[in-house]
Amino acid sequence: MILDGFSATAIASAAQVIRAGGLLGLPTETVYGLAADAENDAAVAQIFIAKGRPANHPLIVHVVDAGSVAHFAASVPDFAKALIDAFWPGPLTLILPRRDGVAGAAAGGQNSIGLRCPSHPVAQALLQACLQAPLSSTLSPQKVWGIAAPSANQFGRVSPTTARHVQGEFGADLLILDGGPCAVGIESTIIDCTRGVPVLLRPGAVSREQVQVACGLKVLLKDELVSLDAPAPRASGTLESHYAPNAKVRLMDAPALQTALNLLSHEIDGASTGPTIAVYSRACLSTYSSQVLLKRMPADATTAAQQLFAVLRELDAQGVDLIWIETPPDTPEWDGVRDRLQRASAA
Ligand code: TXA
Ligand code: MG
């Protein structure tokens, strides 16, 4: 069931669902999440089951503001405080040392916890409502300090950026708050703050450069972790193959794409009536074949990110077997989109 997330009664019902240990679809500015009370281990277990996600892959816990960090984190290094000041609420997740005994299931058993304060007004309204004392005495009198919410998609698949996408993943029974299409469109930037220096685990709308400027420290990449002689944390959003549509994705530069299109015969698959190959490129390309669907990628990285997952889903829905995508430029603003596409093509 999809409810208007901007209605106060929908927020009240959603808060009841969370307090009662249920799941729901929640809009954030990045992607939609599959949400539950972060400290209710049984509810969190349902998230892992619904997604088909291994139970040792930690979930991000969403908090209403910086004031809730101390409930989950044992300590916050100064550079992480600077990042909270600079980017919260917004698309930045910080991995911090976890307070003993708090949200162990959500953290996938790790001694760290991923915290993010979303800016989406519907997510903010739900977090506020959950933090307040419940109206009904039959429900848990505990405050809900945080909402665990991984992206609301089956494990390994494309993240949802609309309420309808979430419904497509989990069916009509799930309560989903509709907050409109997500403004950012790709998942939050993740910075590991447990290693003394900031480490980028997943690129997103907040760039590595912005993080460096805000905290005054060089941000290491995962591959540079060897020098810290510690194993990289488990992070499914950082698996090589992820974000995969059903069609097979291949990345090529524009000249290679045009060459490949020129080599195709007019009719690729005599049995098929619709398009069998989709091409998603910033460059203007041409084809002779009626079985090739050409689609233009926005020229700026922010708009491309906003539309990326919806386009992959739309091309899947058209039933193409292959999606050929122009490799995004090797510049910092394209880091997030390039990362997601590389992982989609690794599947
Ligand atoms: O934008 C987002 O971050 C979205 C929205 C819903 O907030 N959420 C999201 O969640 O992308 P998910 O679970 O699909 O990806 C979370 C990533 C995973 O790669 C997970 O392993 C990593 O965060 N993560 C969470 N807690 C962690 C921890 N304690 N240590 C290392 N990685 C962690
Ligand atoms: Mg995900």
Side-chain angles (χ1 to χ4, degrees), residues 74-138:
S75 59
V76 185
D78 285 342
F79 74 82
K81 287 184 189 141
L83 297 181
I84 289 173
D85 286 346
F87 300 112
W88 279 15
L92 178 72
T93 297
L94 301 178
I95 310 297
L96 293 163
R98 182 166 61 89
R99 241 185 66 207
D100 257 357
V102 176
Q110 305 207 45
N111 55 13
S112 59
I113 183 116
L115 296 179
R116 168 161 121 75
C117 171
S119 63
H120 195 293
V122 174
Q124 275 288 330
L126 183 65
L127 285 161
Q128 288 281 2
C130 286
L131 197 55
Q132 269 143 37
L135 300 173
S136 158
S137 56
T138 57

Short mmCIF file of all heavy atoms in Angstrom, two decimals, residues 74-138:
data_model
loop_
_atom_site.label_atom_id
_atom_site.label_comp_id
_atom_site.label_asym_id
_atom_site.label_seq_id
_atom_site.Cartn_x
_atom_site.Cartn_y
_atom_site.Cartn_z
N ALA A 74 30.25 4.81 20.08
CA ALA A 74 31.03 4.87 21.33
C ALA A 74 31.89 6.12 21.36
O ALA A 74 32.14 6.69 22.42
CB ALA A 74 31.90 3.63 21.43
N SER A 75 32.33 6.56 20.21
CA SER A 75 33.16 7.77 20.14
C SER A 75 33.06 8.35 18.73
O SER A 75 32.71 7.63 17.79
CB SER A 75 34.61 7.43 20.47
OG SER A 75 35.08 6.48 19.54
N VAL A 76 33.35 9.64 18.64
CA VAL A 76 33.29 10.31 17.33
C VAL A 76 34.58 11.12 17.15
O VAL A 76 34.78 12.11 17.86
CB VAL A 76 32.06 11.25 17.24
CG1 VAL A 76 31.94 11.84 15.84
CG2 VAL A 76 30.78 10.52 17.63
N PRO A 77 35.45 10.70 16.24
CA PRO A 77 36.67 11.48 16.04
C PRO A 77 36.36 12.89 15.55
O PRO A 77 35.31 13.12 14.94
CB PRO A 77 37.45 10.68 14.99
CG PRO A 77 36.50 9.73 14.39
CD PRO A 77 35.37 9.53 15.35
N ASP A 78 37.30 13.82 15.81
CA ASP A 78 37.06 15.22 15.44
C ASP A 78 36.77 15.38 13.95
O ASP A 78 35.93 16.18 13.56
CB ASP A 78 38.28 16.07 15.83
CG ASP A 78 38.31 16.31 17.34
OD1 ASP A 78 37.26 16.13 17.99
OD2 ASP A 78 39.40 16.66 17.85
N PHE A 79 37.45 14.60 13.11
CA PHE A 79 37.22 14.79 11.67
C PHE A 79 35.80 14.36 11.30
O PHE A 79 35.17 14.93 10.41
CB PHE A 79 38.30 14.10 10.82
CG PHE A 79 38.23 12.59 10.74
CD1 PHE A 79 37.37 11.96 9.86
CD2 PHE A 79 39.04 11.81 11.56
CE1 PHE A 79 37.32 10.57 9.78
CE2 PHE A 79 39.00 10.43 11.48
CZ PHE A 79 38.13 9.81 10.60
N ALA A 80 35.25 13.35 12.03
CA ALA A 80 33.87 12.93 11.76
C ALA A 80 32.88 14.01 12.22
O ALA A 80 31.88 14.26 11.55
CB ALA A 80 33.58 11.61 12.46
N LYS A 81 33.22 14.67 13.34
CA LYS A 81 32.35 15.78 13.79
C LYS A 81 32.32 16.87 12.73
O LYS A 81 31.26 17.45 12.44
CB LYS A 81 32.88 16.36 15.11
CG LYS A 81 32.63 15.46 16.30
CD LYS A 81 33.10 16.12 17.59
CE LYS A 81 33.03 15.11 18.73
NZ LYS A 81 34.15 15.21 19.67
N ALA A 82 33.47 17.15 12.14
CA ALA A 82 33.52 18.19 11.09
C ALA A 82 32.65 17.78 9.89
O ALA A 82 31.97 18.62 9.29
CB ALA A 82 34.97 18.40 10.65
N LEU A 83 32.63 16.49 9.57
CA LEU A 83 31.83 16.02 8.43
C LEU A 83 30.33 16.10 8.75
O LEU A 83 29.53 16.46 7.89
CB LEU A 83 32.23 14.58 8.06
CG LEU A 83 33.68 14.42 7.59
CD1 LEU A 83 33.97 12.97 7.23
CD2 LEU A 83 33.95 15.33 6.39
N ILE A 84 29.98 15.79 10.00
CA ILE A 84 28.58 15.91 10.41
C ILE A 84 28.14 17.37 10.29
O ILE A 84 27.08 17.67 9.72
CB ILE A 84 28.39 15.39 11.86
CG1 ILE A 84 28.53 13.85 11.87
CG2 ILE A 84 27.06 15.84 12.45
CD1 ILE A 84 28.54 13.22 13.25
N ASP A 85 28.99 18.29 10.79
CA ASP A 85 28.65 19.72 10.71
C ASP A 85 28.49 20.16 9.26
O ASP A 85 27.61 20.93 8.93
CB ASP A 85 29.76 20.57 11.35
CG ASP A 85 29.73 20.47 12.86
OD1 ASP A 85 28.71 19.98 13.40
OD2 ASP A 85 30.73 20.86 13.50
N ALA A 86 29.33 19.64 8.39
CA ALA A 86 29.34 20.12 7.00
C ALA A 86 28.21 19.50 6.17
O ALA A 86 27.64 20.17 5.31
CB ALA A 86 30.69 19.81 6.35
N PHE A 87 27.87 18.23 6.40
CA PHE A 87 27.02 17.53 5.43
C PHE A 87 25.69 16.99 5.96
O PHE A 87 24.90 16.48 5.17
CB PHE A 87 27.81 16.40 4.77
CG PHE A 87 29.03 16.88 4.04
CD1 PHE A 87 30.30 16.58 4.50
CD2 PHE A 87 28.90 17.66 2.89
CE1 PHE A 87 31.43 17.03 3.82
CE2 PHE A 87 30.01 18.12 2.22
CZ PHE A 87 31.29 17.80 2.69
N TRP A 88 25.44 17.02 7.26
CA TRP A 88 24.16 16.52 7.77
C TRP A 88 23.18 17.67 7.94
O TRP A 88 23.60 18.74 8.40
CB TRP A 88 24.37 15.81 9.12
CG TRP A 88 24.85 14.41 8.98
CD1 TRP A 88 25.38 13.79 7.88
CD2 TRP A 88 24.86 13.42 10.03
NE1 TRP A 88 25.72 12.49 8.17
CE2 TRP A 88 25.42 12.24 9.49
CE3 TRP A 88 24.47 13.42 11.38
CZ2 TRP A 88 25.59 11.08 10.24
CZ3 TRP A 88 24.64 12.28 12.11
CH2 TRP A 88 25.19 11.11 11.55
N PRO A 89 21.89 17.49 7.69
CA PRO A 89 21.35 16.30 7.04
C PRO A 89 21.74 16.24 5.56
O PRO A 89 21.79 17.27 4.90
CB PRO A 89 19.83 16.48 7.19
CG PRO A 89 19.64 17.96 7.31
CD PRO A 89 20.88 18.51 7.94
N GLY A 90 21.99 15.03 5.06
CA GLY A 90 22.38 14.90 3.66
C GLY A 90 22.94 13.54 3.34
O GLY A 90 22.97 12.65 4.19
N PRO A 91 23.41 13.37 2.08
CA PRO A 91 23.76 12.03 1.57
C PRO A 91 25.16 11.55 1.98
O PRO A 91 25.96 11.17 1.14
CB PRO A 91 23.65 12.20 0.06
CG PRO A 91 23.96 13.63 -0.18
CD PRO A 91 23.46 14.40 1.01
N LEU A 92 25.45 11.59 3.28
CA LEU A 92 26.76 11.13 3.77
C LEU A 92 26.55 10.19 4.96
O LEU A 92 25.91 10.56 5.95
CB LEU A 92 27.61 12.32 4.22
CG LEU A 92 28.97 11.92 4.79
CD1 LEU A 92 29.90 11.43 3.68
CD2 LEU A 92 29.62 13.06 5.55
N THR A 93 27.11 8.96 4.85
CA THR A 93 27.06 7.97 5.93
C THR A 93 28.44 7.87 6.57
O THR A 93 29.44 7.82 5.85
CB THR A 93 26.66 6.59 5.37
OG1 THR A 93 25.34 6.70 4.82
CG2 THR A 93 26.67 5.52 6.46
N LEU A 94 28.47 7.86 7.90
CA LEU A 94 29.74 7.73 8.62
C LEU A 94 29.77 6.40 9.35
O LEU A 94 28.80 6.04 10.03
CB LEU A 94 29.89 8.87 9.63
CG LEU A 94 29.86 10.28 9.02
CD1 LEU A 94 29.98 11.33 10.13
CD2 LEU A 94 30.98 10.46 8.01
N ILE A 95 30.85 5.66 9.19
CA ILE A 95 31.03 4.43 9.96
C ILE A 95 31.82 4.80 11.22
O ILE A 95 32.92 5.38 11.13
CB ILE A 95 31.82 3.36 9.15
CG1 ILE A 95 31.22 3.17 7.76
CG2 ILE A 95 31.88 2.04 9.93
CD1 ILE A 95 29.81 2.65 7.70
N LEU A 96 31.22 4.51 12.37
CA LEU A 96 31.81 4.91 13.66
C LEU A 96 31.89 3.69 14.58
O LEU A 96 31.19 2.69 14.37
CB LEU A 96 30.90 5.98 14.31
CG LEU A 96 30.84 7.32 13.55
CD1 LEU A 96 29.65 8.15 14.00
CD2 LEU A 96 32.15 8.09 13.75
N PRO A 97 32.75 3.75 15.60
CA PRO A 97 32.78 2.63 16.56
C PRO A 97 31.42 2.51 17.22
O PRO A 97 30.82 3.51 17.62
CB PRO A 97 33.84 3.07 17.58
CG PRO A 97 34.57 4.20 16.96
CD PRO A 97 33.66 4.84 15.96
N ARG A 98 30.90 1.27 17.32
CA ARG A 98 29.55 1.06 17.85
C ARG A 98 29.58 0.97 19.38
O ARG A 98 30.50 0.37 19.94
CB ARG A 98 28.95 -0.22 17.26
CG ARG A 98 27.53 -0.53 17.72
CD ARG A 98 26.91 -1.60 16.84
NE ARG A 98 27.61 -2.87 16.86
CZ ARG A 98 27.35 -3.85 17.73
NH1 ARG A 98 26.41 -3.71 18.64
NH2 ARG A 98 28.04 -4.97 17.69
N ARG A 99 28.58 1.58 20.02
CA ARG A 99 28.46 1.44 21.48
C ARG A 99 28.08 0.00 21.79
O ARG A 99 27.20 -0.57 21.12
CB ARG A 99 27.38 2.39 22.01
CG ARG A 99 27.92 3.40 23.00
CD ARG A 99 26.81 4.23 23.60
NE ARG A 99 25.92 3.41 24.42
CZ ARG A 99 24.65 3.68 24.65
NH1 ARG A 99 24.09 4.75 24.13
NH2 ARG A 99 23.93 2.89 25.40
N ASP A 100 28.70 -0.55 22.80
CA ASP A 100 28.44 -1.95 23.18
C ASP A 100 26.96 -2.22 23.40
O ASP A 100 26.28 -1.44 24.05
CB ASP A 100 29.17 -2.25 24.51
CG ASP A 100 30.42 -3.05 24.25
OD1 ASP A 100 30.67 -3.39 23.07
OD2 ASP A 100 31.14 -3.33 25.22
N GLY A 101 26.46 -3.30 22.83
CA GLY A 101 25.08 -3.72 23.12
C GLY A 101 24.01 -2.97 22.36
O GLY A 101 22.82 -3.19 22.58
N VAL A 102 24.39 -2.07 21.48
CA VAL A 102 23.39 -1.27 20.75
C VAL A 102 23.34 -1.69 19.28
O VAL A 102 24.37 -1.72 18.61
CB VAL A 102 23.73 0.24 20.84
CG1 VAL A 102 22.77 1.07 20.02
CG2 VAL A 102 23.71 0.70 22.28
N ALA A 103 22.14 -2.01 18.80
CA ALA A 103 21.90 -2.26 17.37
C ALA A 103 22.86 -3.29 16.76
O ALA A 103 23.32 -3.12 15.63
CB ALA A 103 21.93 -0.95 16.58
N GLY A 104 23.12 -4.35 17.50
CA GLY A 104 24.07 -5.37 17.03
C GLY A 104 23.61 -6.05 15.75
O GLY A 104 24.42 -6.28 14.84
N ALA A 105 22.32 -6.38 15.64
CA ALA A 105 21.84 -7.06 14.44
C ALA A 105 21.92 -6.13 13.23
O ALA A 105 22.34 -6.54 12.15
CB ALA A 105 20.40 -7.53 14.65
N ALA A 106 21.53 -4.86 13.43
CA ALA A 106 21.60 -3.91 12.32
C ALA A 106 23.03 -3.74 11.84
O ALA A 106 23.29 -3.57 10.64
CB ALA A 106 21.02 -2.56 12.74
N ALA A 107 23.98 -3.82 12.78
CA ALA A 107 25.39 -3.65 12.42
C ALA A 107 25.98 -4.93 11.85
O ALA A 107 27.18 -4.98 11.58
CB ALA A 107 26.19 -3.20 13.63
N GLY A 108 25.15 -5.95 11.67
CA GLY A 108 25.64 -7.21 11.11
C GLY A 108 26.69 -7.85 12.00
O GLY A 108 27.56 -8.58 11.51
N GLY A 109 26.63 -7.53 13.31
CA GLY A 109 27.57 -8.12 14.26
C GLY A 109 28.92 -7.43 14.31
O GLY A 109 29.78 -7.79 15.11
N GLN A 110 29.12 -6.41 13.46
CA GLN A 110 30.42 -5.72 13.49
C GLN A 110 30.47 -4.78 14.70
O GLN A 110 29.44 -4.37 15.23
CB GLN A 110 30.59 -4.90 12.21
CG GLN A 110 30.43 -5.73 10.97
CD GLN A 110 31.20 -5.18 9.79
OE1 GLN A 110 32.36 -4.79 9.91
NE2 GLN A 110 30.57 -5.15 8.65
N ASN A 111 31.67 -4.39 15.11
CA ASN A 111 31.76 -3.47 16.25
C ASN A 111 31.72 -2.01 15.81
O ASN A 111 32.02 -1.11 16.58
CB ASN A 111 32.98 -3.78 17.12
CG ASN A 111 34.27 -3.76 16.31
OD1 ASN A 111 34.26 -3.28 15.17
ND2 ASN A 111 35.34 -4.27 16.87
N SER A 112 31.31 -1.80 14.58
CA SER A 112 31.11 -0.44 14.08
C SER A 112 29.65 -0.26 13.69
O SER A 112 28.90 -1.24 13.61
CB SER A 112 32.01 -0.21 12.87
OG SER A 112 31.68 -1.16 11.87
N ILE A 113 29.26 0.99 13.45
CA ILE A 113 27.87 1.25 13.03
C ILE A 113 27.88 2.36 11.97
O ILE A 113 28.63 3.32 12.08
CB ILE A 113 27.00 1.65 14.24
CG1 ILE A 113 25.54 1.84 13.84
CG2 ILE A 113 27.49 2.91 14.94
CD1 ILE A 113 24.62 0.87 14.46
N GLY A 114 27.06 2.18 10.93
CA GLY A 114 26.93 3.19 9.88
C GLY A 114 25.77 4.13 10.22
O GLY A 114 24.65 3.67 10.39
N LEU A 115 26.05 5.43 10.35
CA LEU A 115 25.00 6.39 10.71
C LEU A 115 24.84 7.43 9.62
O LEU A 115 25.83 7.91 9.05
CB LEU A 115 25.35 7.10 12.03
CG LEU A 115 25.43 6.23 13.28
CD1 LEU A 115 25.82 7.09 14.49
CD2 LEU A 115 24.08 5.53 13.55
N ARG A 116 23.57 7.78 9.36
CA ARG A 116 23.29 8.80 8.35
C ARG A 116 22.07 9.59 8.79
O ARG A 116 21.09 9.00 9.29
CB ARG A 116 23.03 8.13 7.00
CG ARG A 116 22.45 9.04 5.94
CD ARG A 116 22.68 8.45 4.57
NE ARG A 116 21.43 8.22 3.83
CZ ARG A 116 20.71 9.18 3.26
NH1 ARG A 116 21.07 10.44 3.37
NH2 ARG A 116 19.62 8.87 2.59
N CYS A 117 22.11 10.90 8.59
CA CYS A 117 20.95 11.76 8.89
C CYS A 117 20.39 12.23 7.54
O CYS A 117 21.00 13.07 6.88
CB CYS A 117 21.40 12.94 9.73
SG CYS A 117 20.13 14.18 9.92
N PRO A 118 19.25 11.66 7.12
CA PRO A 118 18.72 12.02 5.79
C PRO A 118 18.05 13.38 5.80
O PRO A 118 17.48 13.80 6.81
CB PRO A 118 17.69 10.92 5.52
CG PRO A 118 17.25 10.46 6.87
CD PRO A 118 18.41 10.69 7.81
N SER A 119 18.09 14.07 4.66
CA SER A 119 17.48 15.41 4.59
C SER A 119 16.05 15.35 4.06
O SER A 119 15.32 16.34 4.15
CB SER A 119 18.31 16.31 3.67
OG SER A 119 18.31 15.79 2.36
N HIS A 120 15.62 14.21 3.52
CA HIS A 120 14.28 14.16 2.92
C HIS A 120 13.23 14.47 3.99
O HIS A 120 13.25 13.88 5.08
CB HIS A 120 14.02 12.77 2.34
CG HIS A 120 12.85 12.73 1.41
ND1 HIS A 120 11.55 12.92 1.84
CD2 HIS A 120 12.77 12.55 0.07
CE1 HIS A 120 10.73 12.85 0.80
NE2 HIS A 120 11.45 12.63 -0.29
N PRO A 121 12.29 15.39 3.70
CA PRO A 121 11.31 15.79 4.73
C PRO A 121 10.46 14.63 5.25
O PRO A 121 10.08 14.64 6.43
CB PRO A 121 10.44 16.85 4.04
CG PRO A 121 10.79 16.78 2.59
CD PRO A 121 12.15 16.18 2.46
N VAL A 122 10.17 13.64 4.41
CA VAL A 122 9.35 12.51 4.87
C VAL A 122 10.17 11.63 5.84
O VAL A 122 9.67 11.20 6.89
CB VAL A 122 8.81 11.69 3.68
CG1 VAL A 122 8.09 10.45 4.17
CG2 VAL A 122 7.89 12.56 2.82
N ALA A 123 11.43 11.39 5.51
CA ALA A 123 12.29 10.62 6.41
C ALA A 123 12.46 11.37 7.73
O ALA A 123 12.39 10.78 8.82
CB ALA A 123 13.65 10.37 5.75
N GLN A 124 12.65 12.68 7.64
CA GLN A 124 12.80 13.49 8.85
C GLN A 124 11.53 13.41 9.71
O GLN A 124 11.60 13.25 10.93
CB GLN A 124 13.08 14.95 8.47
CG GLN A 124 14.55 15.24 8.22
CD GLN A 124 15.38 15.25 9.50
OE1 GLN A 124 14.89 15.57 10.58
NE2 GLN A 124 16.64 14.87 9.39
N ALA A 125 10.37 13.51 9.07
CA ALA A 125 9.10 13.48 9.82
C ALA A 125 8.93 12.14 10.52
O ALA A 125 8.51 12.08 11.69
CB ALA A 125 7.93 13.74 8.86
N LEU A 126 9.27 11.05 9.84
CA LEU A 126 9.13 9.72 10.46
C LEU A 126 10.11 9.56 11.61
O LEU A 126 9.75 9.06 12.69
CB LEU A 126 9.33 8.61 9.43
CG LEU A 126 9.12 7.21 10.01
CD1 LEU A 126 7.67 7.00 10.47
CD2 LEU A 126 9.53 6.12 9.03
N LEU A 127 11.34 10.01 11.43
CA LEU A 127 12.34 9.89 12.51
C LEU A 127 11.90 10.71 13.72
O LEU A 127 12.02 10.26 14.87
CB LEU A 127 13.71 10.36 12.00
CG LEU A 127 14.42 9.36 11.08
CD1 LEU A 127 15.52 10.04 10.27
CD2 LEU A 127 15.00 8.20 11.90
N GLN A 128 11.36 11.90 13.49
CA GLN A 128 10.83 12.74 14.59
C GLN A 128 9.72 12.02 15.33
O GLN A 128 9.71 11.95 16.55
CB GLN A 128 10.25 14.05 14.03
CG GLN A 128 11.26 15.05 13.53
CD GLN A 128 11.92 15.83 14.65
OE1 GLN A 128 11.65 15.58 15.83
NE2 GLN A 128 12.82 16.74 14.28
N ALA A 129 8.76 11.49 14.55
CA ALA A 129 7.59 10.82 15.15
C ALA A 129 8.03 9.61 15.96
O ALA A 129 7.48 9.33 17.03
CB ALA A 129 6.61 10.41 14.06
N CYS A 130 9.03 8.88 15.47
CA CYS A 130 9.49 7.67 16.15
C CYS A 130 10.24 7.99 17.43
O CYS A 130 10.27 7.20 18.37
CB CYS A 130 10.39 6.84 15.24
SG CYS A 130 9.48 6.00 13.94
N LEU A 131 10.84 9.16 17.48
CA LEU A 131 11.62 9.55 18.66
C LEU A 131 10.70 10.02 19.79
O LEU A 131 11.08 10.02 20.96
CB LEU A 131 12.61 10.66 18.27
CG LEU A 131 13.78 10.95 19.18
CD1 LEU A 131 14.60 9.69 19.46
CD2 LEU A 131 14.68 12.02 18.56
N GLN A 132 9.47 10.41 19.43
CA GLN A 132 8.54 10.87 20.47
C GLN A 132 7.91 9.69 21.20
O GLN A 132 7.85 8.59 20.68
CB GLN A 132 7.44 11.73 19.84
CG GLN A 132 7.83 13.20 19.83
CD GLN A 132 7.35 13.92 18.60
OE1 GLN A 132 6.25 13.62 18.12
NE2 GLN A 132 8.15 14.81 18.07
N ALA A 133 7.44 9.95 22.44
CA ALA A 133 6.80 8.90 23.23
C ALA A 133 5.57 8.40 22.49
O ALA A 133 4.80 9.19 21.94
CB ALA A 133 6.42 9.44 24.59
N PRO A 134 5.35 7.07 22.44
CA PRO A 134 4.20 6.55 21.71
C PRO A 134 2.89 6.94 22.39
O PRO A 134 2.83 7.07 23.60
CB PRO A 134 4.40 5.03 21.76
CG PRO A 134 5.33 4.81 22.89
CD PRO A 134 6.16 6.04 23.06
N LEU A 135 1.84 7.11 21.57
CA LEU A 135 0.53 7.49 22.11
C LEU A 135 -0.13 6.31 22.80
O LEU A 135 -0.76 6.44 23.84
CB LEU A 135 -0.38 7.97 20.96
CG LEU A 135 0.16 9.18 20.19
CD1 LEU A 135 -0.72 9.48 18.99
CD2 LEU A 135 0.22 10.40 21.12
N SER A 136 0.05 5.12 22.22
CA SER A 136 -0.64 3.95 22.76
C SER A 136 0.24 3.20 23.76
O SER A 136 1.40 2.92 23.49
CB SER A 136 -1.01 3.02 21.60
OG SER A 136 -1.20 1.72 22.10
N SER A 137 -0.31 2.86 24.91
CA SER A 137 0.48 2.19 25.94
C SER A 137 0.69 0.72 25.62
O SER A 137 1.48 0.05 26.25
CB SER A 137 -0.21 2.32 27.30
OG SER A 137 -1.52 1.80 27.18
N THR A 138 -0.06 0.21 24.60
CA THR A 138 0.11 -1.21 24.25
C THR A 138 1.41 -1.42 23.47
O THR A 138 1.89 -2.52 23.33
CB THR A 138 -1.05 -1.72 23.37
OG1 THR A 138 -1.12 -0.90 22.22
CG2 THR A 138 -2.37 -1.71 24.12
#
